[in-house]
Amino acid sequence: MKMTSYDIIRRPVVTEKSMTAMADRKYTFIVDIKANKSQIKRAVEEVFGVEVEEVKTIRYNGKPKRQGHHIGKRADYKKAVVKLSENSKGIEFFEGMMQ
């Protein structure tokens, strides 16, 4: 099954660290765990209409959690830090959050 751009980008990461990285034109997203860097780059360019310079990915394993006798695990996930090129416009979704 082929993933669309909207399937690859799950949600933005809104933390203090990711907000300060926006000054350097770096935006952080939670992405599909099976997506590679070229798919992530293509998806961000298509969805937001920007030009991506580089993509860095980090894969996280879910933490074990327990509730009484029951032991479970949070889901694994992948985070992508996308750096936009100098002549590209910013992503409007994040622009309202900086204020």
Side-chain angles (χ1 to χ4, degrees):
M1 186 169 125
K2 186 175 179 181
M3 291 188 290
T4 65
S5 297
Y6 292 96
D7 293 333
I8 292 172
I9 300 172
R10 296 280 170 90
R11 66 180 182 269
V13 176
V14 182
T15 61
E16 193 172 333
K17 185 175 181 179
S18 68
M19 289 295 136
T20 56
M22 284 175 36
D24 297 331
R25 304 183 63 77
K26 294 180 182 178
Y27 297 90
T28 309
F29 298 96
I30 300 293
V31 295
D32 187 81
I33 202 157
K34 297 176 193 138
N36 59 30
K37 289 183 180 186
S38 61
Q39 290 173 329
I40 295 168
K41 178 179 178 178
R42 201 172 323 115
V44 171
E45 287 176 345
E46 182 182 322
V47 171
F48 297 107
V50 294
E51 187 178 328
V52 176
E53 184 177 319
E54 74 176 331
V55 177
K56 295 182 180 180
T57 58
I58 307 104
R59 187 165 174 174
Y60 291 96
N61 291 323
K63 296 179 180 180
K65 294 290 176 182
R66 47 178 283 203
Q67 181 89 25
H69 290 294
H70 303 287
I71 299 173
K73 182 173 118 22
R74 287 188 182 164
D76 300 341
Y77 64 97
K78 183 184 270 190
K79 188 165 77 170
V81 179
V82 177
K83 183 175 182 183
L84 303 183
S85 64
E86 289 296 323
N87 55 359
S88 177
K89 63 182 177 76
I91 297 176
E92 290 106 22
F93 178 80
F94 286 97
E95 298 304 322
M97 295 182 189
M98 287 184 64
Q99 299 171 356

